[in-house]
Amino acid sequence: PAPLEGKTVLVNGAAGGVGHLMVQVAKWKGARVIAVASGRHEMLLANLGADAFIDYTKQSAETVMRNVDLVIDAVGGSNMERFLNVIKKGGALYLVNPLGFSGHEEAQRRGIIVSTAQVRSNGAQLAKAGRLLDDGTIRVVIDSTFPMAEASAAHGRAGRGSMQGKVVLVNE
């Protein structure tokens, strides 16, 4: 955990299941938020609090951004190291899916902290999250819903990408 008030946070994959929540949390914590997603998600992300938007189909975030305090990469995949050029010394790169990241030495040389997701149950944090959801500070966007019997189709939907929010399984 790091204070975000007054910081600049870039969220890659900002419209997805994790990214859309990160945009809102960073904004709630007082950060200036730059959302990276395809153009069809721009209005949603503005409504969720993003201060600026980069359509990755038209320009890459690493070519237009510099001196960002924190990059949250909710996409993963190849070439996550490209975000090191965007982050200022003393900043951080948070990788939701770190598999394949090979820039640890470069990050250390640049004075950038690299962190990854580790989920732990925490009752106090869950209660706070519940209050934020209840009062509308944080909204969960639903991309699509599937009956539990169609879990493989839901997994396929998630695998196709270009999501806008969460894929949800419902017990019917």
Side-chain angles (χ1 to χ4, degrees), residues 5 33 41 84 100 106 108 111 125 136 154:
E5 189 167 345
V33 179
H41 304 293
L84 294 175
E106 179 68 14
Q108 186 174 19
Q125 286 179 345

Side-chain angles (χ1 to χ4, degrees), residues 71-73 80 83 93-98 101 104 114-117:
V71 170
I72 301 170
D73 183 13
M80 291 174 275
F83 291 114
L93 173 60
Y94 183 80
L95 303 169
V96 174
N97 179 2
F101 180 74
H104 290 286
V114 177
S115 183
T116 60

